[in-house]
Amino acid sequence: MFNKYSIHQKSRLALLIWLAVVLGTISLVIPPDSRANGGAAVFTQDSGPFNVQLFISPTPPVPTVPAHFTMIVTRRSSDVPVTDATAFVEPAMSGMPMPGVTGQRFIQNQSRPDQYDVDVPVAMEGVWNFKVTIVSPGLGTTNFIANAKVEKPDAPWPIIIAILVALPALAGLTWWFLFRKQAEDDDEEEDPKPEVKVGT
């Protein structure tokens, strides 16, 4: 009886260790949430009558998905939101003709009126220049250029590592269940039912 419970306790301990390793590894390989509304800052300063915070995602941008821009506009050197702006972005690459690439208009965020968003296709690796123009009826107009490097997409390492962790974990679980079944069978063989003697 002692051996039976000891085997079961060791099996459960091994299972808990496997689960802890799997969960810990997955938590390390999954990237954390992106900063600042989903991106990294590419322009954060005053421009004309405005203060502009411009973020891009993913970080770094890749040719396989459009670059997403989030822009927060306030009055120059203040936190007073600008909610009546119209903004455009014109993507280009230095010395490279870009047929089919056109300007895009920012869309105002309804839940946060000083935030403006736009998706811009960037189908080629290299350094891109994004000319942003902001127009406000009450404050005036400004434009500036933000730069971002579009890079080749990385291999999906989190998925690869998760698979490499999951396979041995699955093997460990399979071993645990088989070992437990074998141990139970051995215990049943070692402890046969006592014979009942019928009195004569």
Side-chain angles (χ1 to χ4, degrees):
M1 186 66 67
F2 174 77
N3 290 337
K4 179 178 179 180
Y5 285 117
S6 177
I7 291 171
H8 287 176
Q9 289 174 352
K10 290 179 181 178
S11 300
R12 290 191 182 96
L13 179 60
L15 175 62
L16 291 175
I17 292 173
W18 271 112
L19 291 176
V21 170
V22 171
L23 294 176
T25 305
I26 291 176
S27 66
L28 289 176
V29 300
I30 294 177
D33 294 336
S34 299
R35 300 172 295 153
N37 299 300
V42 291
F43 188 91
T44 54
Q45 63 187 64
D46 289 339
S47 178
F50 310 102
N51 179 268
V52 180
Q53 299 178 59
L54 183 66
F55 306 92
I56 189 173
S57 66
T59 306
V62 295
T64 53
V65 296
H68 180 80
F69 285 93
T70 295
M71 183 169 64
I72 299 171
V73 184
T74 60
R75 295 197 177 199
R76 183 182 181 90
S77 302
S78 76
D79 294 326
V80 179
V82 175
T83 60
D84 64 349
T86 301
F88 301 89
V89 57
E90 300 174 56
M93 293 185 73
S94 300
M96 291 281 292
M98 304 298 293
V101 176
T102 59
Q104 304 283 332
R105 180 175 177 174
F106 283 84
I107 304 299
Q108 189 173 27
N109 190 311
Q110 297 301 315
S111 61
R112 182 175 177 177
D114 65 337
Q115 178 177 312
Y116 303 80
D117 296 273
V118 68
D119 290 327
V120 180
V122 285
M124 186 179 299
E125 297 175 33
V127 178
W128 285 68
N129 305 318
F130 300 95
K131 181 181 179 182
V132 178
T133 301
I134 305 173
V135 180
S136 168
L139 297 174
T141 302
T142 191
N143 58 69
F144 60 88
I145 294 178
N147 300 315
K149 186 177 181 180
V150 176
E151 300 183 10
K152 183 178 180 179
D154 290 332
W157 289 115
I159 296 175
I160 294 172
I161 295 175
I163 292 174
L164 293 177
V165 170
L167 288 177
L170 182 60
L173 289 173
T174 304
W175 171 86
W176 180 73
F177 283 116
L178 293 176
F179 182 74
R180 182 182 68 172
K181 179 63 175 174
Q182 182 180 358
E184 290 176 352
D185 293 342
D186 292 343
D187 289 337
E188 290 177 359
E189 292 176 1
E190 291 175 2
D191 300 324
K193 294 182 180 179
E195 296 181 0
V196 178
K197 295 183 179 181
V198 179
T200 56

